[in-house]
Amino acid sequence: MQIGSVTTPFGRRPVTLALVKRQIETSKIKPGKTADKWKVFRDASEARELLGLQDRSLAVLDALLSFHPDNELRQEAQLIVFPSNAQLTLRAHGIAGATLRRHLALLVEAGLIVRKDSPNGKRYPRKDKAGAIDSAFGFDLSPLLLRTDELAMMAQQVVADRFALRRAKENLTICRRDVRKLISAAIEEGAPGNWENIEGIYIGLVGRIPRSATLGDVNSILAEMGLLQREITNILEMQQKDDNNSTNDDHSERHIQNSKTESITELEPSSGNEQGATRVDDNRANWKPVRSFPLSMVTRACPEIAIYGPGGTIGSWREMMGAAVVVRSMLGVSPSAYQEACEVMGPENAATAIACILERIGHINSPGGYLRDLTRKAARGEFSLGPALMALLRVDGDSDRRTG
């Protein structure tokens, strides 16, 4: 709010309530307070962005402080300096007149100095009979002394933020390298998964890093990059665990799978009336156990099947396989097709395949024929549930981003 104006050699300068408030506050400096003027200047320099100052503003402030005869700012001392514009220009490294006035105004707006104007707008001291300065008109440095502690805290915050930003950038660089190595290794070794999509997510995150990133920018991207790293690590660790289990316990696993299959498929009689109902050939020279995936990953990729679990939720593989039997019947998949899927893939993976089919039912003409085709591919060692689940997870993630 503007409440008046003061005439100066450069025109009429508005007087605001904020300026009046600062002038009043300078009279409230604690008695006996002192501060090293160059320490205060260094703090103001560190906090220049928070204060809205530029490098030229600091050059002008440095010049003003050089006209104060002592190294200390003291509450009981004369804190008004009164250099001419010519003198200021000289000590501010030849700054132009218009630029000088602009940065003096910025220092006033930042609350670091206060103007004390004379009746004619000039800067000069008044001396007593002994020749000592009694009063002066010019620029009052009292706000610097008043805000000594505040400026020190602001400087410390800037330094802390700068350190945090450097550390966050270092962590992001390390995380980027690790993710890049994991993706490259997975692609080179032919690990199952939609690595093109994962690489696309990685490239998108890297492309979002601004040239002049703030701490918030870096922390946000670092969090997403860390999540991507954990997802990739989980996929690779899960596949490694499955490979180890397949190598060490192949015979036992097949026995357990067959035993489970009997308990599931005995609920309904066989039928062969759906499209593609030719039984899978028992000659499985290239057969490899289909990798299973964590239940939590399956239910996240295929949320629709949870409706058919007890109470509308699925909390175990037993509940998942029970829901799959219900959905199998609803989709018109014959018991024989599902039994063969259980025998070849294992009951957990067969239930997962049913859940995937349910998610994409609008794109599948014959669920029974589709399941038999998947079973044939699995028998030949040509099928993995990984790409299907990753594709569904990607679709679910894209949907969340669109509606979030």
Side-chain angles (χ1 to χ4, degrees), residues 293-309:
F293 292 83
L295 179 62
S296 59
M297 180 180 180
V298 175
T299 54
R300 187 155 49 95
C302 308
E304 292 294 326
I305 199 168
I307 301 172
Y308 303 95

Side-chain angles (χ1 to χ4, degrees), residues 37 77 179 232 337 363 385 394:
K37 67 179 183 182
V179 171
I232 295 172
H363 304 279
L385 287 166
R394 183 173 72 254

Side-chain angles (χ1 to χ4, degrees), residues 156-189:
Q156 290 173 8
Q157 184 61 51
V158 169
V159 172
D161 289 345
R162 187 182 301 133
F163 176 80
L165 177 59
R166 184 169 66 251
R167 178 63 59 85
K169 285 182 175 180
E170 290 172 355
N171 292 338
L172 179 57
T173 298
I174 293 171
C175 190
R176 282 176 57 186
R177 290 173 180 171
D178 290 344
V179 171
R180 178 69 269 174
K181 290 177 183 177
L182 287 171
I183 294 175
S184 298
I187 294 175
E188 289 173 4
E189 296 179 14

Side-chain angles (χ1 to χ4, degrees), residues 269-274 277 334-337 372:
S270 294
S271 172
N273 56 6
E274 82 272 29
S334 70
S336 63
R372 286 190 183 276

Side-chain angles (χ1 to χ4, degrees), residues 119-150:
N120 63 4
K122 295 185 179 297
R123 304 168 201 146
Y124 59 88
R126 281 179 177 170
K127 298 182 180 181
D128 58 20
K129 293 181 180 180
I133 295 177
D134 180 55
S135 62
F137 300 97
F139 298 103
D140 191 352
L141 304 177
S142 297
L144 288 171
L145 180 59
L146 176 69
R147 301 179 64 185
T148 298
D149 296 335
E150 179 191 354

Side-chain angles (χ1 to χ4, degrees), residues 58-252:
L58 296 174
V60 174
L61 180 60
D62 178 79
L64 286 172
L65 286 170
S66 71
F67 285 98
H68 183 69
D70 300 324
N71 281 333
E72 277 193 334
L73 302 175
R74 299 191 305 275
Q75 178 266 337
E76 70 275 7
Q78 167 65 260
L79 293 177
I80 296 175
V81 293
F82 38 86
S84 66
N85 280 357
Q87 291 172 316
L88 273 177
T89 297
L90 182 62
R91 294 200 186 182
H93 312 294
I95 190 171
T99 305
L100 173 66
R101 293 190 292 273
R102 183 171 68 254
H103 288 287
L104 284 170
L106 287 174
L107 291 171
V108 172
E109 291 175 9
L112 297 185
I113 61 173
V114 173
R115 295 179 188 270
K116 187 175 180 181
D117 292 315
S118 66
N120 63 4
K122 295 185 179 297
R123 304 168 201 146
Y124 59 88
R126 281 179 177 170
K127 298 182 180 181
D128 58 20
K129 293 181 180 180
I133 295 177
D134 180 55
S135 62
F137 300 97
F139 298 103
D140 191 352
L141 304 177
S142 297
L144 288 171
L145 180 59
L146 176 69
R147 301 179 64 185
T148 298
D149 296 335
E150 179 191 354
L151 291 172
M153 292 181 62
M154 292 172 70
Q156 290 173 8
Q157 184 61 51
V158 169
V159 172
D161 289 345
R162 187 182 301 133
F163 176 80
L165 177 59
R166 184 169 66 251
R167 178 63 59 85
K169 285 182 175 180
E170 290 172 355
N171 292 338
L172 179 57
T173 298
I174 293 171
C175 190
R176 282 176 57 186
R177 290 173 180 171
D178 290 344
V179 171
R180 178 69 269 174
K181 290 177 183 177
L182 287 171
I183 294 175
S184 298
I187 294 175
E188 289 173 4
E189 296 179 14
N194 193 339
W195 298 108
E196 290 184 3
N197 176 66
I198 293 175
E199 187 170 35
I201 296 173
Y202 167 78
I203 293 172
L205 286 175
V206 173
R208 283 170 46 199
I209 302 174
R211 183 178 297 275
S212 299
T214 64
L215 181 60
D217 295 331
V218 176
N219 281 336
S220 175
I221 297 173
L222 178 59
E224 294 186 52
M225 191 70 74
L227 180 61
L228 180 62
Q229 182 183 21
R230 289 193 294 274
E231 289 290 334
I232 295 172
T233 302
N234 289 339
I235 293 172
L236 296 177
E237 286 180 350
M238 176 185 60
Q239 292 170 356
Q240 182 64 39
K241 185 184 295 183
D242 289 340
D243 286 341
N244 292 339
N245 291 338
S246 298
T247 302
N248 298 331
D249 302 308
D250 182 67
H251 178 73
S252 299

